[in-house]
Amino acid sequence: MASSMNSLEAIQKKIDAVKLFLSVSLSIANAHTVDFYTCDVWDQFMAVPPVEVLTEITLNGDHKRAPEHYLKHGNAKKITFGFCDDSKRLVDVAELLEAAYAHSLPGLGVCVGRTELLQSLRHTDNAQPLEEVPAAVVESDEFMNSKKSHEVQAMSEVVASLAQRCRVKQVIDVGSGKGYLCSFLSLRYGLQVYGIDSSSVNTHGAQERNRKLKKYSRAYQRHSKANRTLTVMLPSGQEDLEDIAPGEREDMVKMSGDAAKGKGRRDGEAQTNTTGLTDRNEEDAMTSLTSAILLEDNSLPELDQSDPASAPEDPFLSALCVGMVEPTSPRGPPSELSLEERERRKRENLERKARSWVNSGGMGSGMLYSPLTSYVTAETELKEIIGELEDAVMVGLHTCGDLAPSTLRMFVAKRELLSVCSVGCCYHLLSEEFDPTRQECPSSSVCGFPLSGYLREQSWFCGRNARMSACLALERVAKGQGIQMESLFYRAVLHVILKDHYSSFKSEKRVGNVYSKATSFVDYVWRALRRLELDESKLSDGVIQGYHDTYRPRMVEMEAFNMLKVTLAPCIEGLILLDRLCFLKEQEDVAFSTLVQLFDPLLSPRCYGVVGVKATGTELSE
């Protein structure tokens, strides 16, 4: 993949092109949806009717001019990207849409595909196929939802290839969360994985899930991927199942029986019910997330880690299905065993485990994943967390906010880290060094953006609302998913009411997700006033409904404006990721670095990874 198109100078030119475009269009992304009516946002930025915007977005699907078109065009006259030079208002929707595509990562042509990256990593004279652990072949979609399964399978193959290329066996997963990627890397590829997460709740949950998965994985036999048929457990697997408590084993038998009853519908109704339900739940969650982004409301859906009841049902338990347990075991059901017999078998199992531990040198197959609790930064000494630290690959799957750039800083700073694969998310949580408000990056701390020296020299910043917009999922919105326009409309009209009747009232409290509980706009306003602890006697149902009726015809303006925000999202995300790539290319000891599209953006909108390999870990060069 050595190419001058991905050199440091080439990446800097791409950054310049995106900056130039955003210097004109970023004001749209930074506009407050909450202030849409109180500040007359449409008239401030638009010189075209909203219907024209929506029509152009719907019909004009070929926005694929090369970025050079706009640079050359700019030499002839001032670049507008569809905006009037004098009024700074949008006058040409088609030109804006074309420019937006041209300055996104696909339009810039700066990313490589996952397959291309894998081929390059494996292209050596003594290339060997990836080694998998035969006794622990577990299909990821049997214990994860479709989105997570897609992400884990795609990323784990890249990580395993990086480890093989760098000739290392250790992987450090920063922000490991529930440990899905860690467990899969250890079970499928036999890598020694350390999952580091700042939440002890996540770490404990990951330990428990991994314990169950290791226990159940002993019962797995190699599947036929074509027909998804599981083999009957061999007699040797029966002894391993004795590690499972009688109650758990009865649950396994029950689950196997339930799966057998539904086997005939596995590829039809059952798959539709489970996968379809999961997908619908994910779509609902994405819709709520998108609305929160557009409202800049900070009421983004999060898992309450302090409340175990809020955690989703353990997906590892769904791994058990028909054929998992031998139906005619000669040992008899667990309920018929005497207490003495159970104790005897438990003692035998412990002795067998001890012998296995000694024979394997103290490292059994079940000890390849170690969840650890720690808050890490670029200054963290990994040896203080991992006593057995060796040369390793550092990874991060959807690391939030500043953790993604911190991962890249750690990779550069730590000699033992030979390679990195980082997929970030939650751009709204990034701190910006040159944000004039300085609300999210105190002068004493290291900020997450910009990361490269190139952008830092130019003191570039995006703004919080623009970073919120970068979290929007263009591909999903284009398919009709993602924006709850009515909730955005309700919130904007509520702000008009607050301004008219409560003197532009501002409160540290936020409205939050009142919309999901409201039965009408009137009910929404009453709930919001109670949440904000305001005097309800100033309003009546009639007055509230009057505001709704007045602004309802202008709801199309908000819809068109937010669609433009979605269109600009890939450009803002692209600049953030190009900054991270530029940072790696500025490092002398990083021999290879690239952006790679790892995931299907419809399944996983944050689909791009930053990959880097040090000179000591590879023969690859730019």
Side-chain angles (χ1 to χ4, degrees):
M1 287 186 292
S3 171
S4 60
M5 292 188 65
N6 284 328
S7 65
L8 174 59
E9 294 75 17
I11 296 303
Q12 289 174 343
K13 287 183 179 179
K14 304 282 189 184
I15 289 176
D16 289 340
V18 179
K19 277 178 48 197
L20 186 61
F21 171 66
L22 290 179
S23 67
V24 176
S25 60
L26 197 63
S27 56
I28 291 180
N30 268 320
H32 285 265
T33 303
V34 170
D35 295 329
F36 191 80
Y37 298 121
T38 57
C39 296
D40 292 323
V41 169
W42 183 264
D43 289 337
Q44 181 180 350
F45 293 105
M46 301 292 153
V48 294
V51 174
E52 181 178 332
V53 174
L54 294 174
T55 301
E56 193 64 42
I57 290 176
T58 302
L59 299 180
N60 192 351
D62 188 19
H63 318 303
K64 298 183 180 179
R65 295 184 191 176
E68 290 76 9
H69 162 81
Y70 300 97
L71 294 177
K72 293 176 182 178
H73 183 59
N75 293 331
K77 68 173 185 176
K78 248 186 167 182
I79 296 177
T80 64
F81 301 114
F83 288 86
C84 174
D85 297 335
D86 296 327
S87 68
K88 309 301 181 185
R89 300 168 75 198
L90 181 65
V91 295
D92 189 335
V93 180
E95 184 171 349
L96 174 63
L97 298 181
E98 291 171 356
Y101 177 83
H103 295 92
S104 65
L105 291 180
L108 293 168
V110 72
C111 289
V112 301
R114 193 178 73 94
T115 301
E116 181 184 353
L117 176 64
L118 290 172
Q119 289 174 346
S120 298
L121 292 174
R122 297 170 184 172
H123 184 65
T124 58
D125 295 335
N126 58 347
Q128 299 292 328
L130 277 180
E131 296 181 2
E132 296 182 356
V133 181
V137 176
V138 180
E139 298 297 336
S140 65
D141 56 1
E142 292 174 344
F143 57 93
M144 305 178 204
N145 63 37
S146 58
K147 176 180 180 292
K148 184 59 66 177
S149 173
H150 171 68
E151 294 166 350
V152 166
Q153 289 192 78
M155 189 164 180
S156 64
E157 189 175 8
V158 171
V159 173
S161 296
L162 287 170
Q164 186 180 56
R165 184 74 189 223
C166 298
R167 298 181 176 87
V168 300
K169 279 292 186 180
Q170 281 192 2
V171 174
I172 301 174
D173 185 0
V174 180
S176 55
K178 299 177 182 179
Y180 295 121
L181 179 63
C182 298
S183 294
F184 197 78
L185 283 169
S186 64
L187 287 169
R188 174 61 67 90
Y189 296 106
L191 294 168
Q192 185 177 11
V193 186
Y194 294 94
I196 303 176
D197 197 275
S198 61
S199 168
S200 59
V201 175
N202 276 346
T203 303
H204 177 75
Q207 288 174 329
E208 184 63 15
R209 290 183 192 88
N210 194 56
R211 180 188 68 81
K212 294 178 181 178
L213 182 58
K214 287 185 294 186
K215 191 179 297 182
Y216 297 152
S217 69
R218 299 189 187 103
Y220 274 95
Q221 303 300 315
R222 193 175 292 274
H223 295 262
S224 171
K225 196 168 185 178
N227 57 21
R228 308 287 298 153
T229 301
L230 292 171
T231 59
V232 175
M233 183 184 300
L234 297 176
S236 60
Q238 296 167 2
E239 295 182 354
D240 291 331
L241 281 176
E242 291 175 10
D243 296 346
I244 305 173
E248 289 185 5
R249 203 158 12 139
E250 289 169 358
D251 290 341
M252 292 171 64
V253 175
K254 180 180 183 298
M255 293 175 69
S256 298
D258 292 342
K261 294 177 183 179
K263 181 179 180 181
R265 302 189 302 273
R266 181 178 181 84
D267 297 323
E269 178 185 349
Q271 183 175 358
T272 301
N273 288 343
T274 55
T275 305
L277 181 58
T278 300
D279 292 342
R280 285 196 299 273
N281 290 339
E282 289 173 0
E283 291 173 12
D284 292 343
M286 177 56 68
T287 298
S288 299
L289 174 62
T290 303
S291 299
I293 289 170
L294 293 172
L295 285 170
E296 300 95 32
D297 197 5
N298 271 353
S299 59
L300 300 181
E302 290 183 303
L303 176 65
D304 184 3
Q305 297 176 344
S306 64
D307 181 11
S310 68
E313 184 178 354
D314 192 342
F316 287 90
L317 295 177
S318 64
L320 298 171
C321 48
V322 62
M324 181 58 66
V325 181
E326 174 65 44
T328 57
S329 171
R331 295 175 176 262
S335 58
E336 296 181 3
L337 295 177
S338 65
L339 180 61
E340 292 77 7
E341 179 67 10
R342 294 179 187 177
E343 289 297 326
R344 184 187 67 79
R345 293 186 181 185
K346 181 178 180 181
R347 189 166 54 253
E348 289 178 353
N349 288 332
L350 291 174
E351 292 173 355
R352 185 176 67 254
K353 287 181 180 179
R355 289 193 298 271
S356 175
W357 174 265
V358 173
N359 293 336
S360 62
M363 178 60 72
S365 62
M367 298 296 292
L368 292 179
Y369 166 39
S370 303
L372 305 170
T373 302
S374 178
Y375 180 83
V376 294
T377 67
E379 290 73 37
T380 300
E381 286 297 333
L382 294 175
K383 291 182 179 180
E384 296 179 1
I385 304 174
I386 305 170
E388 303 81 12
L389 181 65
E390 302 172 358
D391 288 347
V393 175
M394 174 159 278
V395 303
L397 175 54
H398 290 155
T399 47
C400 289
D402 286 347
L403 185 55
S406 291
T407 299
L408 298 179
R409 286 192 175 105
M410 273 190 281
F411 163 67
V412 169
K414 309 302 179 185
R415 179 186 57 80
E416 56 269 18
L417 299 178
L418 302 187
S419 183
V420 65
C421 182
S422 170
V423 181
C425 68
C426 303
Y427 302 126
H428 61 291
L429 297 178
L430 271 176
S431 59
E432 292 197 72
E433 182 176 358
F434 301 104
D435 186 343
T437 63
R438 303 287 290 177
Q439 292 178 348
E440 298 169 332
C441 186
S443 57
S444 59
S445 65
V446 178
C447 296
F449 181 84
L451 185 61
S452 68
Y454 186 69
L455 271 182
R456 292 187 69 203
E457 289 173 358
Q458 302 173 57
S459 302
W460 180 265
F461 75 96
C462 293
R464 185 176 187 277
N465 293 330
R467 287 183 281 109
M468 293 281 283
S469 297
C471 297
L472 296 168
L474 174 61
E475 290 80 6
R476 285 188 170 182
V477 173
K479 295 290 184 181
Q481 307 172 18
I483 296 184
Q484 263 184 355
M485 197 56 60
E486 188 177 61
S487 67
L488 304 178
F489 172 72
Y490 278 15
R491 184 62 183 87
V493 178
L494 171 66
H495 204 59
V496 177
I497 295 175
L498 295 178
K499 180 179 180 181
D500 290 351
H501 295 272
Y502 299 92
S503 302
S504 298
F505 176 83
K506 290 186 178 180
S507 171
E508 293 182 358
K509 295 184 179 180
R510 297 186 178 273
V511 174
N513 191 22
V514 173
Y515 174 80
S516 63
K517 303 174 183 178
T519 59
S520 65
F521 178 71
V522 174
D523 185 38
Y524 172 87
V525 172
W526 289 129
R527 288 176 179 271
L529 294 178
R530 287 192 290 271
R531 175 71 65 89
L532 297 172
E533 299 180 351
L534 295 176
D535 183 5
E536 300 177 35
S537 64
K538 292 185 177 182
L539 298 173
S540 65
D541 288 355
V543 171
I544 294 173
Q545 187 62 42
Y547 276 95
H548 176 276
D549 297 343
T550 298
Y551 286 95
R552 184 64 180 81
R554 296 182 58 188
M555 185 174 173
V556 66
E557 296 176 358
M558 177 175 285
E559 181 181 0
F561 193 84
N562 284 326
M563 287 302 296
L564 290 177
K565 274 194 170 188
V566 173
T567 302
L568 295 175
C571 307
I572 305 168
E573 178 183 34
L575 182 63
I576 293 171
L577 296 180
L578 285 171
D579 171 59
R580 295 174 183 177
L581 178 61
C582 185
F583 170 75
L584 291 185
K585 291 189 178 295
E586 291 171 345
Q587 313 305 316
E588 292 183 358
D589 62 340
V590 177
F592 172 78
S593 56
T594 190
L595 289 175
V596 56
Q597 181 174 333
L598 291 171
F599 314 133
D600 179 349
L602 275 175
L603 283 174
S604 182
R606 306 281 75 80
C607 61
Y608 296 106
V610 182
V611 173
V613 183
K614 289 181 179 174
T616 55
T618 181
E619 300 168 359
L620 288 170
S621 61
E622 302 294 356

